Amino acid sequence: MATPEAPAASARADRNHGMRIFLIWLPLAVIADILIWFVWKPHMPPGTMTSSAEHQQFDIAFMALLCAPVLLFVWVYAAYALVTWRHRAGDDTDGPPIHGNAKIQATWIGATAVIVLGLFVFGTVELIVPAGAGAGEGPVPIWQPSTPHRLVVQVIGQQWAFSYRFPQFGGMESSELLLPANTTVEFHVTSLDVIHSFWAYQLGVKADANPGVDNVAFTTTKEQLGHFTVRCNELCGLWHGAMFNTGFIVPPGTFQAWARGLQLKEARNGILNELPPYAPTYDPTVVPQLGASIVKIDGITGAAGYYYPPQDPVTP
Amino acid sequence: MAIEAQPGAGRMQPVAGGPGNGRSWWMKPAVHTGIVGGIIGYLVGHWLGNALSYDYAQNALSDTNDVPIVLGYVFGTIGWLAGLGIFNDLGRLMLGHPLRDIEHAPAGGLAKYFRYTLDHKVVGIQYLFGMITYFLTGGLFAMAIRSELLSPTYHLMSSSAYLMVVGEHGTMMMMMMSSVVLGPFGQYFAPLMIGSKRMAFPRIEAIGFWLTPAAYIILLSGLLLQGFPTGWTGYEPLAVQAGPGMDTYFMAFGLMGISMILAGFNIIVTYINYRAPGMRWSRLPMFVWSMFTVSFLQVLAVPVLVAGCYMSLTDRTFQTAFFANQLGGSSYLWENVFWFFGHPEVYILALPGFGVVSEIIPVMCRKPLFGYRTAAAGMIGVALLSFFVWQHHLFDSGINPDMRPLFMLTTELISIPTGFIYLVALGTFWKAKIRFTVPMLFCLAMYFNFLLGGVSGVFLSDVPADTTEHGSFFVMAHFHYTIMGGLIFAFMAGIYYWLPKMMGIKLNERLGRIHFWTMFIFFNSTFLPLFALGMLGMPRRVFEYALNLQPLNVWVSISAFCLGGSLLIFLFNFIMSTLVWREKETGNPWNSRGLEWQVSSPPPPENFEHIPVILSGPYDYGDPDAPPVADLNPPVGVVSAAYAGAGAGLEA
């Protein structure tokens, strides 16, 4: 060093630098957190259409609240350092030989450990309380909603469409998804061919559709009516990009009328008899004699034993 | 200690000019004979496959039988290696002829770069050019993807062409990234930084490199077979259903895996056994620590990938059903096998970046590295924990829901050792004299980008939040921030920092700064909006998206094209500086204490005239009492005393 500072003066200078960084960081962190919680959170995805979506929105906002000060600390510190301690022309000396500082290192390790363990506890609570947080829990779900009154919806993925079966309505099958408001829904997601993933974006539900596996996910709809998007979220071949449709949350009465009506219609025109009986999973090779005639009616492409050959279909 | 001892030196027959010396150039084994060997091998393998499998049942799901094409690739690879002369010495051993001492053959001009050469410095340069080729090819595929995503529905490519491009981009980049630092810098500087004259296993090292062009050609040949529809993850049973292009994925990834395992073993053995006297573990440069930990990851994790690729290939050829659910297999098995490799793999990509930046910042800050032990502990911690997190890729898959809190914990824990790397950087900046050279700028950008990548990873580790983000563009942005923003920026820092050492040539600084600023700005303007796109509901690997997402996608695409243009600036600078301008740099331009900078640039053929004796750590800047880093001409007897009992002739 060109001018060795006295230890006391050096310690005072250290404290001044530290204090300045802290004083720049603190208001920025407070402002950022206020903006995140009060301005950004209400607009954060995936919205508040269901209980699981609302929990996910809360989680994302909470973690943003936690991460913003950390990001700001690194940025403020680095910016301060790069400006204050930049190399000045003509100065060819080296910096002070500081090899470390046990107190600072211990503080850093302790602080990051506390944040991380806190996040783990938070994440676990937020996983268990909203009954699996809308994620697929496999065939034997361990976190279940408290109510036994649930609408059971089976989601069947195949290349490249979703179809939905309602066992509480005689196993009726539909290519569109309507859900009643204020109802706990139990999704059973399975696939006929390759891995798909059922992502009902605004519902906050995501569960992989594995062939031969019944993957259960829960959510509870709220008073909010309207449409939601369903997309395939796992690469499943050629028309993966085109595998989406729109669902609706409707008043319970409307839902009942729609579901009963569809059940009666399918009973009348024989579809219910020809469909394989409702089961957690299906093997598309078991009922090969079914197929074309079923597929054409009402656009239903479900568990009728039909799936596209591996070549490009003419239309998705 | 096998520092300089030549096992079997008596069997060696010194030659000049590498294998096949004395013949005219086209008779000597090199790339052209390798190509001939590869073609012959492919034809033989294809014929053999047809002969073997003429009465096989066809694959139940894809209606093809891939025995001929897979055997073609296997024999083609063997033919390529044989054509390069890699098996010549094996043949000589078997026939009882004396071995040729090709390891100590005098340098043979440019031709040595196109041959099976055993000098680690040549292999490092070969890797450098090879990996840049890989990177630019993968980048072109990225440009194609972004062109397609200019429109919310498919317009430029058919859906099958789009999937093909997506798969080629992902796989090529993943294969390249695993070797992009470990290959060029790891191989080149491993012995130089620890005071050794050689790698432990030069032949294994060279084979490791020569497998990468084979993997490159095989992967690209997938374009002729309509590609593979699975992306870089190769999920089953889609992979069983796919056409013969799928075989190129498994073959190429498997070959690259073998290359990684070989490189890893070599580096581990070299670091343990070939350190110069005085190069204690507490004096190892951080870059060496990162290479050491990465090598353990490669040796332990990559065999799982190779095994998985092999099992998939038997599914596709010999009608096994490891992964086909319809035939009694399990697609979960592939997901587990793949991610048990795949998650250590992403740290195989992150750790070299940590190593490069931790190596460069003390030099540019003119200060010792803050918390040397913390930095080393961080790397070891990341490496250990990386084996316990793989199921966070399967949070929505329906497997093991009861294990989710555990994998959430391990995933979040890994941010503690990663945080050490930031503590070390911030501590090193304290009261430093920071020089904003081009390598330093890339290091700072790496810290900036990796911070965003790491913090977004915290969101993904949380199961409830992950339900929204999983498999969406959010994930895509996250790992591009860590891999491209982290590793590729570190790689660029390494190129600007070490190219004077490797080639004795300086890259143009003005162009370097233009390259840096364009790359940094356009990288962020490309990938930052992708976080938003993912949050707004756009899944990965789709060619159709909601209409309201088009403005953001167009913005991203245009930024991506500019990012591509920035890499063209780099390419221009690289080609012009190394081939045309050739601005000489022979000394120590960064005034670094690193051992590799104490010898001339480029280093002499044997690295060090004598085995050096290491006197102090590599980062003792600012300490007037610190001894020089090494004694390059130690008094006679010191080295042999240090290795007493290891045999004579150590200081020859």
Side-chain angles (χ1 to χ4, degrees):
Chain A
M1 279 191 300
T3 51
E5 301 168 55
S10 164
R12 198 163 53 242
D14 280 0
R15 269 201 305 280
N16 285 344
H17 286 305
M19 189 52 84
R20 266 179 238 145
I21 290 171
F22 178 76
L23 287 179
I24 301 172
W25 167 75
L26 187 66
L28 287 178
V30 172
I31 292 169
D33 274 357
I34 290 173
L35 287 178
I36 286 171
W37 198 254
F38 294 103
V39 180
W40 196 11
K41 179 173 173 276
H43 307 287
M44 260 186 195
T48 55
M49 208 168 199
T50 64
S51 59
S52 54
E54 196 177 18
H55 273 278
Q56 286 162 29
Q57 184 190 56
F58 172 76
D59 279 15
I60 293 169
F62 179 81
M63 282 191 290
L65 200 73
L66 214 65
C67 290
V70 176
L71 276 181
L72 281 169
F73 172 74
V74 177
W75 285 342
V76 167
Y77 181 103
Y80 184 90
L82 297 185
V83 172
T84 315
W85 297 307
R86 67 184 187 279
H87 170 246
R88 286 168 172 87
D91 179 9
D92 286 334
T93 56
D94 287 352
I98 305 169
H99 286 273
N101 181 323
K103 223 164 97 185
I104 287 174
Q105 278 158 269
T107 314
W108 176 284
I109 294 169
T112 50
V114 167
I115 294 177
V116 161
L117 293 177
L119 270 176
F120 162 65
V121 173
F122 171 77
T124 307
V125 171
E126 277 295 301
L127 173 66
I128 293 170
V129 170
E137 290 188 59
V140 193
I142 47 177
W143 303 297
Q144 304 221 13
S146 47
T147 169
H149 303 289
R150 304 169 191 165
L151 173 69
V152 178
V153 180
Q154 183 173 47
V155 181
I156 303 165
Q158 61 177 318
Q159 287 170 324
W160 288 270
F162 287 112
S163 47
Y164 309 95
R165 287 193 82 173
F166 295 79
Q168 290 151 335
F169 294 87
M172 142 313 246
E173 181 169 342
S174 160
S175 57
E176 60 176 352
L177 179 58
L178 265 71
L179 295 175
N182 289 321
T183 309
T184 298
V185 187
E186 183 178 315
F187 289 105
H188 289 257
V189 185
T190 186
S191 163
L192 299 181
D193 35 47
V194 301
I195 301 178
H196 304 271
S197 186
F198 171 68
W199 183 17
Y201 171 65
Q202 286 90 342
L203 302 188
V205 172
K206 193 177 281 169
D208 281 8
N210 298 276
V213 177
D214 176 28
N215 194 6
V216 182
F218 300 99
T219 194
T220 302
T221 58
K222 303 204 299 180
E223 204 56 68
Q224 264 187 57
L225 307 180
H227 71 91
F228 57 85
T229 314
V230 174
R231 289 213 70 152
C232 177
N233 196 47
E234 190 58 68
L235 185 52
C236 58
L238 272 186
W239 296 100
H240 165 62
M243 190 169 162
F244 55 86
N245 53 22
T246 306
F248 299 90
I249 293 185
V250 295
T254 315
F255 172 78
Q256 288 286 337
W258 170 78
R260 292 268 171 238
L262 203 55
Q263 183 187 354
L264 283 175
K265 188 180 164 199
E266 292 188 0
R268 233 183 0 253
N269 61 21
I271 294 182
L272 279 190
N273 284 334
E274 291 210 38
L275 282 174
Y278 177 84
T281 64
Y282 302 95
D283 183 347
T285 58
V286 173
V287 278
Q289 75 278 12
L290 297 180
S293 65
I294 296 290
V295 172
K296 280 176 188 163
I297 298 170
D298 280 341
I300 293 170
T301 55
Y306 177 85
Y307 65 102
Y308 292 105
Q311 311 85 345
D312 293 34
V314 181
T315 51
Chain B
M1 288 286 171
I3 260 283
E4 185 63 349
Q6 283 297 329
R11 295 180 304 177
M12 296 280 190
Q13 186 185 63
V15 293
N21 180 56
R23 290 176 250 159
S24 49
W25 69 269
W26 48 272
M27 290 292 288
K28 291 184 201 170
V31 170
H32 63 285
T33 52
I35 293 171
V36 173
I39 293 171
I40 294 172
Y42 180 84
L43 295 175
V44 169
H46 203 272
W47 169 82
L48 188 67
N50 274 326
L52 280 176
S53 68
Y54 68 96
D55 60 344
Y56 274 27
Q58 297 210 315
N59 184 318
L61 291 174
S62 68
D63 295 333
T64 57
N65 192 316
D66 298 349
V67 176
I69 197 158
V70 170
L71 281 186
Y73 283 136
V74 171
F75 279 74
T77 308
I78 295 172
W80 157 253
L81 295 179
L84 282 163
I86 284 172
F87 305 124
N88 287 4
D89 279 343
L90 269 181
R92 289 179 156 270
L93 270 182
M94 281 192 276
L95 296 174
H97 294 311
L99 288 183
R100 289 160 177 273
D101 185 12
I102 53 175
E103 193 180 328
H104 293 86
L110 268 185
K112 65 175 181 272
Y113 294 106
F114 297 93
R115 277 204 205 120
Y116 172 60
T117 306
L118 299 188
D119 184 354
H120 70 93
K121 296 190 287 295
V122 175
V123 177
I125 302 271
Q126 286 169 335
Y127 258 117
L128 182 67
F129 281 85
M131 292 304 123
I132 288 178
T133 311
Y134 257 90
F135 178 60
L136 295 176
T137 317
L140 285 178
F141 286 119
M143 297 296 108
I145 295 174
R146 285 319 314 179
S147 309
E148 173 59 44
L149 290 180
L150 281 166
S151 156
T153 183
Y154 64 99
H155 63 129
L156 285 177
M157 291 177 246
S158 67
S159 55
S160 56
Y162 179 73
L163 275 192
M164 178 166 86
V165 165
V166 167
E168 291 277 341
H169 165 74
T171 313
M172 182 150 284
M173 286 296 193
M174 274 299 174
M175 283 162 52
M176 175 277 288
M177 297 287 181
S178 59
S179 293
V180 74
V181 168
L182 188 115
F185 306 136
Q187 308 290 355
Y188 197 101
F189 293 107
L192 272 167
M193 283 183 158
I194 58 169
S196 165
K197 292 191 179 188
R198 52 171 285 184
M199 295 291 281
F201 304 119
R203 283 161 205 272
I204 282 182
E205 179 188 40
I207 293 173
F209 167 73
W210 285 110
L211 284 174
T212 61
Y216 177 82
I217 302 285
I218 290 176
L219 188 68
L220 277 185
S221 72
L223 293 174
L224 305 173
L225 300 166
Q226 300 192 336
F228 45 92
T230 61
W232 85 279
T233 47
Y235 267 19
E236 308 276 359
L238 183 59
V240 187
Q241 190 195 59
M246 201 66 223
D247 300 320
T248 64
Y249 165 87
F250 290 118
M251 272 307 294
F253 223 158
L255 278 183
M256 199 68 181
I258 294 172
S259 158
M260 285 190 242
I261 297 169
L262 295 177
F265 264 120
N266 194 13
I267 284 185
I268 290 174
V269 175
T270 305
Y271 284 155
I272 291 179
N273 291 310
Y274 283 77
R275 280 169 294 128
M279 181 53 88
R280 305 173 194 149
W281 290 103
S282 59
R283 284 177 182 166
L284 279 189
M286 284 329 297
F287 181 68
V288 172
W289 272 113
S290 75
M291 287 297 111
F292 193 56
T293 46
V294 165
S295 298
F296 272 102
L297 290 187
Q298 296 200 325
V299 167
L300 294 174
V302 180
V304 182
L305 169 79
V306 178
C309 288
Y310 180 68
M311 287 155 82
S312 294
L313 283 176
T314 61
D315 271 13
R316 297 182 53 80
T317 52
F318 304 120
Q319 314 301 309
T320 57
F322 291 110
F323 304 121
N325 302 44
Q326 288 89 336
L327 305 171
S330 167
S331 53
Y332 282 141
L333 178 61
W334 171 261
E335 289 184 328
N336 272 307
V337 165
F338 183 80
W339 287 116
F340 187 80
F341 148 78
H343 209 83
E345 159 79 357
V346 303
Y347 289 99
I348 289 172
L349 313 185
L351 283 169
F354 296 168
V356 171
V357 293
S358 307
E359 186 67 29
I360 294 176
I361 54 165
V363 181
M364 302 303 170
C365 289
R366 312 310 303 166
K367 263 192 72 194
L369 194 70
F370 182 89
Y372 173 91
R373 276 157 201 254
T374 309
M379 288 182 188
I380 295 170
V382 168
L384 278 177
L385 277 172
S386 71
F387 282 102
F388 300 94
V389 299
W390 81 94
Q391 280 215 355
H392 66 214
H393 297 273
L394 308 175
F395 275 163
D396 298 326
S397 69
I399 193 174
N400 293 352
D402 49 342
M403 297 296 257
R404 276 177 206 164
L406 174 71
F407 281 99
M408 178 158 43
L409 174 65
T410 53
T411 308
E412 283 165 352
L413 279 182
I414 215 164
S415 58
I416 298 179
T418 312
F420 290 0
I421 306 300
Y422 277 85
L423 168 67
V424 167
L426 297 183
T428 308
F429 295 158
W430 184 263
K431 293 193 161 177
K433 312 220 164 170
I434 301 166
R435 286 160 165 75
F436 293 101
T437 55
V438 180
M440 184 64 176
L441 289 175
F442 274 106
C443 290
L444 293 171
M446 184 275 179
Y447 284 113
F448 179 88
N449 297 336
F450 199 90
L451 185 66
L452 287 175
V455 163
S456 58
V458 173
F459 287 75
L460 289 165
S461 70
D462 183 88
V463 182
D466 182 61
T467 309
T468 289
E469 293 142 0
H470 188 95
S472 72
F473 261 50
F474 189 92
V475 178
M476 231 266 286
H478 159 72
F479 69 74
H480 277 84
Y481 258 94
T482 51
I483 297 174
M484 183 162 184
L487 185 69
I488 288 297
F489 275 75
F491 171 65
M492 289 297 172
I495 285 193
Y496 283 95
Y497 180 70
W498 275 316
L499 208 66
K501 170 55 59 186
M502 295 171 81
M503 294 186 166
I505 278 167
K506 227 175 123 169
L507 288 176
N508 183 294
E509 187 171 339
R510 198 182 161 75
L511 276 176
R513 281 177 193 278
I514 296 173
H515 166 218
F516 167 75
W517 283 111
T518 50
M519 186 168 162
F520 178 64
I521 290 167
F522 290 123
F523 169 79
N524 279 288
S525 104
T526 302
F527 290 103
L528 210 52
L530 293 188
F531 286 118
L533 279 175
M535 285 291 212
L536 292 171
M538 182 164 166
R540 287 167 70 182
R541 299 153 163 175
V542 295
F543 51 84
E544 296 204 5
Y545 52 82
L547 195 58
N548 63 331
L549 300 180
Q550 191 177 15
L552 260 182
N553 268 301
V554 170
W555 170 277
V556 168
S557 289
I558 292 171
S559 302
F561 301 145
C562 296
L563 182 60
S566 164
L567 286 164
L568 287 184
I569 298 177
F570 162 73
L571 193 66
F572 175 77
N573 189 4
F574 187 78
I575 291 174
M576 292 301 278
S577 295
T578 54
L579 296 181
V580 181
W581 299 327
R582 298 187 68 84
E583 197 184 331
K584 287 269 179 280
E585 183 62 77
T586 50
N588 185 350
W590 317 110
N591 201 10
S592 164
R593 278 178 61 89
L595 183 59
E596 78 274 23
W597 291 102
Q598 309 308 315
V599 294
S600 64
S601 305
E606 293 269 280
N607 295 352
F608 302 96
E609 207 178 326
H610 309 283
I611 296 292
V613 171
I614 312 301
L615 302 174
S616 65
Y619 306 123
D620 287 344
Y621 298 100
D623 184 354
D625 305 327
V629 70
D631 185 354
L632 295 179
N633 288 300
V636 178
V638 171
V639 173
S640 46
Y643 294 112
L650 288 178
E651 287 174 61

